[in-house]
Amino acid sequence: PVFYVTCCLAKLHTGRLLFTDCHYEALMYTLLFFSSELASESNPSDHARAGTIFLSKSQTDVQDKRKSNHINHISHVSPGPLSKKYSSCSTIFIDDNTVSQPNLKSTIKCVTLAIYYHIKNRDSGRSLDIFDEKLHPLSREPVPEDYADVDPEHKLIYRFVRTLFSAAQLTAECAIVTLVYLERLLTYAELDICPANWKRIVLGAILLASKVWDDQAVWNVDYCQILKDITVEDMNEMERQFLELLQFNINVPASVYAKYYFDLRQLADDNNLNFPLEPLNNQRAQKLEAISRLCEDKYKDLSRASMRRSISADNLIGIRRSNAVLS
């Protein structure tokens, strides 16, 4: 298609091609196809090669912190005791945070920190009425007059999300999917998460992620038990509009999930938000070995199944498998 479009444009420029309606329609469809492909590749919530938005928004603050630390180091100001543990020849420190089984508390801290940077370094204040906390309050307490101007602190965002996850017994993977849906909403609907709408946007993303990810989903009425003053009708309407704004695209590829996980770890490292490290002992070593053997057996079964599906009737004889020898 690219070669066809290039030839058509070249011949059209030289005037040696009679450009009919069929050619024009084919050209437009081809251009629209490639423009949609490029758009999907630039969307981090859909494509694994696109950089996450929250990590780019945090870079300005991270660079300022590094400059401040550099100035303090030059001024001979003591940075204080080291809070990060380092492995040595005698002791190896590892954490229990993996891409398949993230640590719940650490993951929520990272996700809420990403939301904090989204709010702090927002481009503008584009929003919709369904997410406006003043139009749709989550509690009976009156909303402050400056509710749309004062940025929430990271601790406030963490307490809000932590309360929902603890009461609904949601998993750490659900927190990562929540962040994927949040950035997908901001890019699809061209919105900004700001002080006036962050609670309802986060609530809508958690609501949707819990239903898509967890086998035993939390019902909307259950959230009404957590947030006492919100109605089921309001939750249903917010969920419906959230899905429409996402264009009903709730699929999260494994590559996108892994990218968000590792970018969250990078965000934690940039902000000195260390994961809990414990020394490697015999018990933990045996546990890691058992998990690795379980994964190895699982992948062997998957590879055998794929080989059985791919082998044709003409190649049933003479197929052998041998172990690789590393020298």
Side-chain angles (χ1 to χ4, degrees):
V2 176
F3 178 75
Y4 172 76
V5 172
T6 305
C7 293
C8 288
L9 291 175
K11 292 182 179 180
L12 180 64
H13 179 70
T14 57
R16 291 183 294 175
L17 175 67
L18 180 60
F19 217 61
T20 63
D21 292 339
C22 295
H23 290 103
Y24 180 79
E25 184 177 358
L27 176 61
M28 289 299 102
Y29 274 118
T30 306
L31 292 176
L32 286 175
F33 170 77
F34 281 101
S35 63
S36 63
E37 287 293 314
L38 291 175
S40 64
E41 289 188 4
S42 61
N43 191 340
S45 62
D46 291 328
H47 204 278
R49 287 182 292 182
T52 53
I53 303 175
F54 71 86
L55 195 60
S56 63
K57 286 184 177 294
S58 67
Q59 292 307 305
T60 302
D61 295 63
V62 170
Q63 292 174 3
D64 292 341
K65 290 179 182 179
R66 289 174 179 173
K67 289 181 181 179
S68 177
N69 293 335
H70 179 67
I71 293 174
N72 291 336
H73 179 71
I74 294 177
S75 303
H76 303 286
V77 177
S78 176
L82 295 176
S83 59
K84 187 174 182 179
K85 299 178 181 178
Y86 294 91
S87 300
S88 63
C89 296
S90 59
T91 306
I92 299 177
F93 291 98
I94 61 173
D95 61 66
D96 60 347
N97 199 329
T98 63
V99 66
S100 59
Q101 294 180 344
N103 179 273
L104 178 60
K105 185 177 180 180
S106 301
T107 303
I108 293 178
K109 282 186 177 181
C110 294
V111 170
T112 52
L113 185 61
I115 297 172
Y116 167 79
Y117 280 120
H118 263 292
I119 300 174
K120 181 180 180 182
N121 299 325
R122 60 189 180 276
D123 297 328
S124 61
R126 299 169 297 181
S127 184
L128 293 175
D129 291 344
I130 188 62
F131 300 121
D132 196 323
E133 192 177 348
K134 190 171 185 179
L135 300 177
H136 302 276
L138 298 178
S139 64
R140 296 180 181 178
E141 298 180 1
V143 179
E145 293 295 333
D146 57 349
Y147 80 105
D149 301 322
V150 179
D151 293 346
E153 296 182 357
H154 176 222
K155 293 181 180 179
L156 179 62
I157 303 174
Y158 172 77
R159 284 198 298 266
F160 178 77
V161 176
R162 178 67 178 175
T163 299
L164 292 176
F165 270 72
S166 177
Q169 298 182 355
L170 302 179
T171 60
E173 297 89 342
C174 184
I176 299 177
V177 177
T178 296
L179 185 58
V180 175
Y181 287 160
L182 189 146
E183 292 204 342
R184 187 172 294 176
L185 174 73
L186 300 183
T187 51
Y188 278 29
E190 297 182 353
L191 299 177
D192 294 286
I193 183 168
C194 52
N197 62 12
W198 72 268
K199 284 187 178 180
R200 291 183 62 85
I201 287 181
V202 171
L203 176 61
I206 293 176
L207 169 67
L208 191 59
S210 64
K211 291 186 176 182
V212 173
W213 183 263
D214 292 336
D215 294 333
Q216 296 180 349
V218 182
W219 289 47
N220 293 3
V221 67
D222 296 327
Y223 288 98
C224 297
Q225 301 296 325
I226 304 172
L227 304 170
K228 301 293 184 180
D229 300 321
I230 195 172
T231 63
V232 179
E233 292 76 15
D234 185 19
M235 294 284 294
N236 295 340
E237 179 64 19
M238 183 172 60
E239 180 185 9
R240 183 184 66 82
Q241 293 200 31
F242 205 107
L243 281 170
E244 290 180 355
L245 293 172
L246 290 185
Q247 301 174 17
F248 296 92
N249 180 16
I250 58 176
N251 179 45
V252 179
S255 56
V256 171
Y257 172 88
K259 176 190 65 177
Y260 272 80
Y261 167 80
F262 287 109
D263 280 4
L264 285 171
R265 293 202 64 135
Q266 179 63 43
L267 180 69
D269 187 63
D270 292 340
N271 290 269
N272 296 324
L273 188 63
N274 299 322
F275 293 92
L277 297 176
E278 297 293 338
L280 181 64
N281 51 28
N282 292 334
Q283 183 179 1
R284 299 193 73 187
Q286 293 174 0
K287 182 179 178 180
L288 288 174
E289 186 177 1
I291 294 175
S292 63
R293 286 178 179 176
L294 181 64
C295 294
E296 184 179 358
D297 295 339
K298 179 180 178 181
Y299 291 136
K300 282 183 179 179
D301 295 338
L302 291 175
S303 62
R304 290 170 182 171
S306 62
M307 285 188 64
R308 285 198 297 268
R309 288 194 298 268
S310 60
I311 293 175
S312 63
D314 299 331
N315 299 322
L316 289 178
I317 301 176
I319 295 179
R320 295 178 182 177
R321 297 184 63 185
S322 59
N323 296 326
V325 178
L326 302 179
S327 59

